Structure formats: C-alpha cells, structure tokens
Amino acid sequence: MDAALSQEKELSAYGLIDGPDSVTEVVLRAMSGAQDARLRQVMEAFVRHLHAFAREVRLTEDEFERAVDVLNRIGRATHGAHNEGILFADAVGLSTLVCLLNNGGAGPTETAAALLGPFWRDNAPPTQDGGSIVRSPTDGPALAVTGRFTDPQGAPLAAVEVDVWHSSPSGFYENQDATQAEMNLRGRFTTGADGVFRFRSVLPAGYPVPTDGPVGELLRAQRRHPFRPAHLHVMGFKPGYKTLITQVFVADDPRLESDVVFGVTRELVGNYVRHSDGGYTLDQTFVMQPGEAKRPTPPIS
Ligand SMILES: [Fe+2]
C-alpha cells in the first residue's frame, strides 16, 4: 500500500457498528470513495441487496458457512473445458435475465455469451448452400433448414457468415461422442443476396448439463431435471452488425417449458414443422442490429 493511500485510510471514519441495522450504512460509507462511478453504483446496490437478503431469510451461521463453501467449490469445479460459474448463473436464471436486459425486442435477436453455450467450435467446415452437415452416419429424423437474415427494417442481409451447430438425435455434440466424425452437425454458411442460407441435417435432441458439481447438488435438492430442450445453435457474423448468437428451440420437445438453464424465450421457439414422412423443416428469420461485429472466444478448441 502506498503512503498516500495508507494515510487516506487512517483518516477516514466510516462509523461504529452498533447492531445489525447499522452495518449496511457503515459498509456503504466505506465504499463510497470509489473513483469509478459505475463500480460505486454496482457495489452499493450489491451490498444493499445482499444485506437485505440476509435479513429477509435471517441467514444462520451454518448456512453462511455452507454458502461460502459452495462458492469455493464452484471455483474449484471450473477449468479449461468447464465453467461451473456460468452454469450456476444459468441455473438461477441470471444469464437469461442479463441477456434479455441487453438484447431483444425485434424477434429472435437475443445475443449473449451465455447463449453461445459451451460447445461452439470455431472453424466449422464451410458448406455450400443447401448442403448437409451430417458428416458421419447419424440416425434420426431429417431436418431441412431455411434461414433468413435481415436488418431491423426487414431488408435482406447478404454475406452474413453463419455458423450452425447442434447435438445429435441421441443428445451428444460431436466433440463428446467418439462415434461422430470430426465437425459432424457443424457447418459454416454465407447468406446470398436474398439474405438466405439453407442446410440439411437431422433433428437435434435435448441433453443434460453436467451435474457432478455444486449446480448438480442444487438441482437434485430442488427436484429439477438437468435437461435442456432440443435446439439449434446459430451465430451470424457480419461487419457493421452486432454478432447474433442465438438458439432455436424445437417446439414439440417435452421439456420446452422446463429448460434447466432457462434459455427458452418465446421468440426463440422455432417454427419446426413435422411432415408425413417423419422429417422436419424449419423456416426462421434472424434480425441483426447495427453494431460491432465480434467473434466470441471459443469455449473449446
Ligand atoms: Fe446446445
């Protein structure tokens, strides 16, 4: 600590704490010197709500110890291939709330790192318009997708680089499943002058999130299943537009209204149509907002 800061701290007085009612004020006073206005605003609100929460539930000492233990174990469960912190934020609905506070309002435009999920891989094989992304024998109902990218006024967006990826009909992404070829059910497309891209695949299936950490314990205690309903991941990238990251859910999935990570918003339920031959088609429009085009960091390589 430098001398000036140490002197400033000695001269400051936040007040004496004389009971549970005064501790919040004293803490807020202690934090009020933050230079960064946004940091000051966020931390003040955080402490007010955190203290109010402890008062509301009359948090016991045992529960406090357990909460700290859970936090520490969330950290220890996180490594290069798994992010338990994000999973926890997902499982309590915070990721979706933050996403909706910052995006949306014009059809399926929700965009957030949370919606990227843990399975996007960069450099999916460029695939010709209308081509198949089934790269090794994969049993399941056929799916033909027609996607359309527009600007907020509905004008077609050409030359959007579109990544699509999804789980197999048995619920595994290619990188989790030795029976699938490299980059199976993943592809990269470019929209034409009409803003359209098309591809053929098989219908994705729902799958469970990892349950061997603190989030799994919480789900079991709350008698919640660990599954996500079936969905197709789509990312649109075009300079001059905010990168669109989204998921399009299969409407007849039995878990559509019980997604373990609360990712399903009304706008993201896709118009999958089941045909008499057992195959499906999906026709979906994606609206991109003007903004900064940024490729996310791939969560896996
Ligand atoms: Fe997914």
Side-chain angles (χ1 to χ4, degrees):
M1 194 183 290
D2 66 36
L5 185 56
S6 130
Q7 193 185 20
E8 200 176 306
K9 270 194 150 328
E10 274 173 33
L11 293 175
S12 301
Y14 311 127
L16 281 177
I17 296 164
D18 55 16
D21 291 339
S22 68
V23 60
T24 307
E25 277 171 43
V26 171
V27 175
L28 292 179
R29 230 172 280 139
M31 300 193 315
S32 62
Q35 295 278 301
D36 182 322
R38 180 62 176 164
L39 175 71
R40 202 162 61 235
Q41 182 190 16
V42 169
M43 284 308 298
E44 282 180 12
F46 181 71
V47 164
R48 272 194 285 107
H49 287 272
L50 190 65
H51 288 205
F53 152 77
R55 285 191 187 94
E56 181 183 322
V57 302
R58 285 208 77 84
L59 200 68
T60 68
E61 286 162 306
D62 280 353
E63 289 162 346
F64 175 69
E65 250 176 62
R66 262 179 84 180
V68 171
D69 179 57
V70 165
L71 263 185
N72 290 338
R73 285 190 298 122
I74 286 174
R76 286 199 296 272
T78 297
H79 49 80
H82 176 69
N83 192 326
E84 186 82 3
I86 286 283
L87 184 59
F88 179 75
D90 293 348
V92 297
L94 182 62
S95 306
T96 294
L97 175 61
V98 172
C99 178
L100 291 174
L101 287 172
N102 289 281
N103 299 280
T109 61
E110 283 94 330
T111 297
L115 273 177
L116 180 69
F119 295 115
W120 177 62
R121 294 178 69 190
D122 204 353
N123 302 314
T127 307
Q128 64 173 24
D129 186 40
S132 174
I133 59 170
V134 180
R135 304 180 196 282
S136 57
T138 311
D139 285 337
L143 170 68
V145 176
T146 303
R148 191 174 294 98
F149 276 80
T150 75
D151 70 9
Q153 287 72 45
L157 285 178
V160 179
E161 204 171 83
V162 186
D163 273 24
V164 299
W165 67 103
H166 66 80
S167 71
S168 72
S170 47
F172 294 103
Y173 286 81
E174 140 273 353
N175 56 292
Q176 300 175 296
D177 180 1
T179 71
Q180 296 183 52
E182 170 79 357
M183 293 288 178
N184 191 41
L185 311 183
R186 300 175 184 272
R188 183 167 285 177
F189 298 83
T190 306
T191 60
D194 54 0
V196 170
F197 72 100
R198 302 171 195 84
F199 69 93
R200 287 173 294 116
S201 190
V202 286
L203 194 70
Y207 56 84
V209 298
T211 54
D212 53 353
V215 172
E217 286 170 27
L218 179 69
L219 297 177
R220 284 186 289 278
Q222 295 176 332
R223 303 174 64 188
R224 290 164 61 185
H225 71 69
F227 283 86
R228 304 216 56 212
H231 55 275
L232 167 71
H233 291 270
V234 177
M235 173 160 68
F237 176 88
K238 181 179 168 72
Y241 292 84
K242 185 174 181 185
T243 300
L244 184 140
I245 300 169
T246 194
Q247 302 176 9
V248 186
F249 291 88
V250 178
D252 62 6
D253 190 296
R255 298 188 183 97
L256 187 72
E257 295 189 24
S258 63
D259 183 1
V260 63
V261 296
F262 306 103
V264 187
T265 60
R266 209 171 284 281
E267 293 288 0
L268 298 187
V269 179
N271 180 31
Y272 293 80
V273 178
R274 189 174 189 277
H275 298 275
S276 52
D277 63 357
Y280 286 75
T281 53
L282 168 66
D283 225 302
Q284 191 79 36
T285 298
F286 303 95
V287 181
M288 291 185 89
Q289 308 288 334
E292 190 190 351
K294 248 194 322 197
R295 275 201 179 286
T297 306
I300 52 173
S301 52

